[in-house]
Amino acid sequence: MITKALTTRKKRLSPHLELSNSRLETMCLLIMGMVNARTVNLSHLACEFPTDGKVESTYRRLQRFFQHVDLGSDWAAPLLVKMIGSGPTWHLCLDRTNWKIGQRHVNFLVLALVTRRHRIPLMWSVLGRAGNSDTAQRIALMKRYLSVFEVSTIKFLLADREFIGAQWLDFLHKNNVPFVIRIKANQLVTTQDGKTQNLSTLLRTCRGKRNFDARFGGNNLGEATWFSFAAKRIKGGELLIVVSNRPAHRALATYKKRWAIESLFGDTKTRGFNLEDTRLTISKKLELLLGLVALAVAWASKTATKLIGGGKMKRKKHGYFAKSFFRIGFDQLRKLLRSDPNAAVSPWILIPPIITRVV
């Protein structure tokens, strides 16, 4: 059964990836191994391969895969969208995840696709250093997205306070990318009545929700863009302020969906594939690894879709789900890989022989 399931995956991926049969087989077994072993560590994955060869030989095979395979930056994005069968539009969430391997920093800038049930990494870049991304890196990532998908696929781009800056917001606005981004309370703005002050002063009496239009900076900025702002106080009295290039009446509710990317990072790490177990530090290898993990996340998520269908997920007394959508699919997928591998690979059949640009 494993051989037949492996053939199905290879058949669906081969038209889209310029890989030899041996490399493609290694890729498919890697993804399956990540699910079974719940880790991306190559020494552990070498024990998961269904082969009579020595573990040391399999480990060397995995090392050669990451050493020699280079699929480019965005090879996985169209495959991921087709596998989860998303509708014509979705939310995008932008954030970073980082950790250290010895003294080396691993720092991913990730653009994630978020729907009502699914959350998967879609595109990413390795920053190669510790700390925040800069404007050029964010713009470069969004340009890559717009080269593969139409801007009409974006409901909203969501990001937290790290992802601000006049040039960045101007780029999004000029390219008609709808966004809701949290900003800092010390940001200076000019309101429509001509007053220039920082947001904390402007909102010092804010108790409920407040919507208003303003532009960044002072009155001397001439043709600076007017944006919509929404604000409210959250626990502890802190101000939650978001800016958008769309009407602000639903901005705060939309911004709540940004938390999905935080949950996604948990799926790729301790709740799922333990991404931080990797010993890889070279950017090209890390980008390839995250592509494999993204396919595994989409596989688990689509397995949950098949299991639950249109049914409701179980909730506990406090109102939260007993299990996340990802975890339901992940547990079911691990079970199927041991009991019925042919049923486990059914989501891969959703990937068509030819993928065109998503409009």
Side-chain angles (χ1 to χ4, degrees), residues 84 115-118 300-314 321 325 328-329 332:
I84 67 169
T115 67
R116 185 172 66 91
R117 286 181 165 178
H118 301 294
S301 193
K302 196 59 183 180
T303 300
T305 300
K306 188 173 181 181
L307 180 64
I308 298 172
K312 294 183 178 180
M313 294 166 59
K314 184 179 179 181
F321 292 122
F325 194 75
I328 290 171
Q332 176 70 2

Side-chain angles (χ1 to χ4, degrees), residues 215 221-226:
R215 58 187 183 185
L221 294 181
E223 299 300 320
T225 304
W226 290 92

Side-chain angles (χ1 to χ4, degrees), residues 108-220:
F108 279 102
L109 178 65
V110 180
L111 194 62
L113 179 155
V114 173
T115 67
R116 185 172 66 91
R117 286 181 165 178
H118 301 294
R119 54 197 188 213
I120 59 171
L122 192 62
M123 292 181 177
W124 48 86
S125 58
V126 179
L127 299 183
R129 54 173 175 75
N132 296 352
S133 63
D134 58 37
T135 296
Q137 290 166 328
R138 299 168 203 161
I139 290 176
L141 186 58
M142 280 305 303
K143 283 183 176 179
R144 283 165 48 193
Y145 178 90
L146 295 173
S147 71
V148 178
F149 304 101
E150 296 289 345
V151 70
S152 59
T153 59
I154 306 172
K155 287 183 178 179
F156 279 98
L157 171 68
L158 311 175
D160 66 11
R161 286 171 288 190
E162 176 183 327
F163 301 96
I164 56 174
Q167 186 181 352
W168 163 240
L169 296 184
D170 187 55
F171 167 81
L172 295 176
H173 185 63
K174 286 182 177 178
N175 285 274
N176 200 32
V177 176
F179 63 81
V180 177
I181 296 176
R182 188 176 180 182
I183 56 175
K184 299 175 182 179
N186 62 359
Q187 180 68 55
L188 192 70
V189 298
T190 298
T191 53
Q192 289 180 312
D193 60 5
K195 292 182 179 179
T196 299
Q197 52 193 326
N198 63 45
L199 288 168
S200 59
T201 302
L202 176 65
L203 298 168
R204 64 186 181 278
T205 60
C206 177
R207 294 295 178 266
K209 295 180 181 179
R210 183 173 172 186
N211 300 335
F212 59 96
D213 291 337
R215 58 187 183 185
F216 292 104
N219 267 316
N220 59 346

Side-chain angles (χ1 to χ4, degrees), residues 7-248:
T7 301
T8 299
R9 275 176 287 169
K10 287 167 59 179
K11 183 179 179 180
R12 290 296 166 173
L13 288 176
S14 60
H16 312 291
L17 305 175
E18 294 183 1
L19 292 175
S20 67
N21 185 64
S22 175
R23 298 281 192 227
L24 189 59
E25 180 177 293
T26 301
M27 173 184 280
C28 293
L29 290 172
L30 267 168
I31 296 170
M32 185 175 70
M34 290 175 183
V35 175
N36 280 331
R38 289 195 60 186
T39 184
V40 299
N41 186 278
L42 299 187
S43 61
H44 291 302
L45 293 178
C47 302
E48 293 291 326
F49 273 49
T51 176
D52 295 330
K54 294 181 179 180
V55 173
E56 292 83 359
S57 299
T58 304
Y59 180 66
R60 182 58 188 143
R61 177 182 176 183
L62 300 184
Q63 287 182 314
R64 288 196 300 269
F65 178 84
F66 283 97
Q67 181 180 355
H68 297 296
V69 172
D70 185 359
L71 296 173
S73 299
D74 305 317
W75 62 273
L79 300 176
L80 292 165
V81 169
K82 290 300 180 182
M83 182 183 285
I84 67 169
S86 178
T89 61
W90 47 75
H91 287 95
L92 291 177
C93 294
L94 181 66
D95 206 352
R96 284 187 310 111
T97 184
N98 60 279
W99 65 94
K100 290 184 73 174
I101 300 175
Q103 297 301 311
R104 297 287 296 273
H105 289 272
V106 176
N107 196 1
F108 279 102
L109 178 65
V110 180
L111 194 62
L113 179 155
V114 173
T115 67
R116 185 172 66 91
R117 286 181 165 178
H118 301 294
R119 54 197 188 213
I120 59 171
L122 192 62
M123 292 181 177
W124 48 86
S125 58
V126 179
L127 299 183
R129 54 173 175 75
N132 296 352
S133 63
D134 58 37
T135 296
Q137 290 166 328
R138 299 168 203 161
I139 290 176
L141 186 58
M142 280 305 303
K143 283 183 176 179
R144 283 165 48 193
Y145 178 90
L146 295 173
S147 71
V148 178
F149 304 101
E150 296 289 345
V151 70
S152 59
T153 59
I154 306 172
K155 287 183 178 179
F156 279 98
L157 171 68
L158 311 175
D160 66 11
R161 286 171 288 190
E162 176 183 327
F163 301 96
I164 56 174
Q167 186 181 352
W168 163 240
L169 296 184
D170 187 55
F171 167 81
L172 295 176
H173 185 63
K174 286 182 177 178
N175 285 274
N176 200 32
V177 176
F179 63 81
V180 177
I181 296 176
R182 188 176 180 182
I183 56 175
K184 299 175 182 179
N186 62 359
Q187 180 68 55
L188 192 70
V189 298
T190 298
T191 53
Q192 289 180 312
D193 60 5
K195 292 182 179 179
T196 299
Q197 52 193 326
N198 63 45
L199 288 168
S200 59
T201 302
L202 176 65
L203 298 168
R204 64 186 181 278
T205 60
C206 177
R207 294 295 178 266
K209 295 180 181 179
R210 183 173 172 186
N211 300 335
F212 59 96
D213 291 337
R215 58 187 183 185
F216 292 104
N219 267 316
N220 59 346
L221 294 181
E223 299 300 320
T225 304
W226 290 92
F227 291 114
S228 297
F229 292 76
K232 70 174 183 179
R233 292 202 180 271
I234 54 179
K235 283 186 178 181
E238 182 183 2
L239 278 168
L240 170 61
I241 312 168
V242 297
V243 60
S244 180
N245 57 346
R246 298 291 187 271

Side-chain angles (χ1 to χ4, degrees), residues 344-358:
V345 300
S346 60
W348 294 87
I349 299 173
L350 297 170
I351 299 176
I354 299 176
I355 293 180
T356 56
R357 179 177 168 86
V358 178

